Amino acid sequence: MTATVSPSTVEQARTSHRLQLPRDTDPAAVLTMVRNLHPEASTDAEGAIQLGDGLRLVPDGSPRGAGRWTLDTPRVREDPQPEGMGDSHGYGRAFPDGVPFGTERQGLDLAWSLGRRLYGAVVTDDGVRLEPHPFHIRDLTVVSPYALAPESLAELLGPLEPEAELDQVPEDAPRVGYSVTIPLPAGEEISLRVGRSSRPMALQALGWLEDAVDYELVHLPADPEEDAIESPESGTSERWQTVYRRIGMIAGLLTESVGGFVVDLEGFLVDPADLV
């Protein structure tokens, strides 16, 4: 269900939210991930990550502050989230009087995404805890300089996914513009779509990116509204993890065969070694 949110924004000074990551998280790894989405991000003498537009991620330097970061941000709020609207990030629950908007929303989204990728959580300025599910986003894309013909891709997938079916291939799309469907239990599917690259921000420095090909692996759940769930039940959580592992195995096979890099749906680079 969707609804329109009216942008009656009121900007008030500044506020802060806390990003809580595992204590052994390397600050350099956080900076690397931030630069996947914000290549211009820099650090100051205190180790704070400057994101621009008044946004900063400040590490906690106290003896017990390992893994803790403070998102220092302008405070910008709009109307409360309409009742019944999907709330995958939990913002409607956390901000009943008005959800973050504009710059604050961008910073909060980044903190939420870092929490998802690094198994952490976000605590809002009002003390509400948001715990992103690590497999909430399961889609992956292999960005490669090489395009496989449809028959070659089907042959490559055969041993790993014997039920994979090559969809109808347009006559004018010998190497891009086609897809493969991989059936899953309970009416779900993985769709592997081959097309011109969307050129992720994390890979902008690559000389071959302009002509790159995306092998986009998309999970199609039986219930399209499922991705709006903030906290899935155990059965859904296990299924998400299983699908992610399966998508990861396909992504790993592709990178071994055609080279390139793996990015997730939000644009973060993913190490193929972590997908095994």
Side-chain angles (χ1 to χ4, degrees):
M1 181 181 296
T2 59
T4 301
V5 179
S6 59
S8 57
T9 61
V10 178
E11 185 169 355
Q12 301 176 1
R14 303 185 67 81
T15 190
S16 63
H17 309 289
R18 189 172 77 243
L19 171 62
Q20 179 66 65
L21 301 175
R23 292 181 58 83
D24 60 352
T25 304
D26 187 349
V30 176
L31 176 60
T32 296
M33 295 195 71
V34 168
R35 283 179 170 165
N36 285 176
L37 307 185
H38 301 273
E40 74 288 350
S42 61
T43 56
D44 60 21
E46 298 178 350
I49 301 175
Q50 307 288 339
L51 297 165
D53 294 328
L55 287 170
R56 298 194 310 154
L57 269 175
V58 184
D60 187 337
S62 68
R64 297 185 179 182
R68 292 181 183 174
W69 296 75
T70 296
L71 174 67
D72 180 31
T73 173
R75 187 182 188 277
V76 189
R77 303 290 165 90
E78 62 179 349
D79 292 341
Q81 184 164 292
E83 185 176 352
M85 187 175 182
D87 193 22
S88 62
H89 287 35
Y91 294 167
R93 173 178 62 83
F95 303 98
D97 297 327
V99 296
F101 180 77
T103 301
E104 184 182 8
R105 176 63 174 262
Q106 294 171 16
L108 191 61
D109 283 349
L110 175 62
W112 187 93
S113 297
L114 290 170
R116 174 185 66 83
R117 282 298 308 274
L118 297 172
Y119 298 92
V122 175
V123 179
T124 71
D125 52 0
D126 284 334
V128 179
R129 187 176 179 86
L130 305 173
E131 297 190 49
H133 192 282
F135 303 110
H136 184 93
I137 291 178
R138 301 165 298 286
D139 299 355
L140 296 173
T141 298
V142 175
V143 184
S144 172
Y146 301 107
L148 288 173
E151 297 78 10
S152 298
L153 179 58
E155 183 178 353
L156 176 67
L157 291 174
L160 180 63
E161 294 288 353
E163 295 185 3
E165 297 181 359
L166 186 64
D167 299 329
Q168 185 173 359
V169 180
E171 293 183 2
D172 60 346
R175 290 183 181 270
V176 294
Y178 68 93
S179 61
V180 174
T181 296
I182 301 167
L184 300 174
E188 299 192 330
E189 296 176 343
I190 294 172
S191 178
L192 171 51
R193 304 163 183 175
V194 184
R196 294 295 181 187
S197 180
S198 60
R199 301 192 291 276
M201 185 66 69
L203 301 177
Q204 289 298 310
L206 294 176
W208 49 262
L209 189 61
E210 185 70 24
D211 299 316
V213 174
D214 280 354
Y215 296 86
E216 186 181 6
L217 290 150
V218 181
H219 176 214
L220 301 176
D223 180 5
E225 300 294 326
E226 182 175 277
D227 286 334
I229 299 173
E230 179 189 358
S231 301
E233 298 178 351
S234 60
T236 300
S237 178
E238 292 172 3
R239 181 164 46 81
W240 282 2
Q241 181 173 0
T242 298
V243 171
Y244 181 77
R245 297 303 185 197
R246 194 160 172 177
I247 285 177
M249 291 179 66
I250 299 171
L253 175 65
L254 286 167
T255 54
E256 289 178 1
S257 303
V258 297
F261 297 86
V262 182
V263 296
D264 70 13
L265 187 61
E266 293 186 321
F268 290 110
L269 286 169
V270 179
D271 187 343
D274 295 336
L275 300 173
V276 178

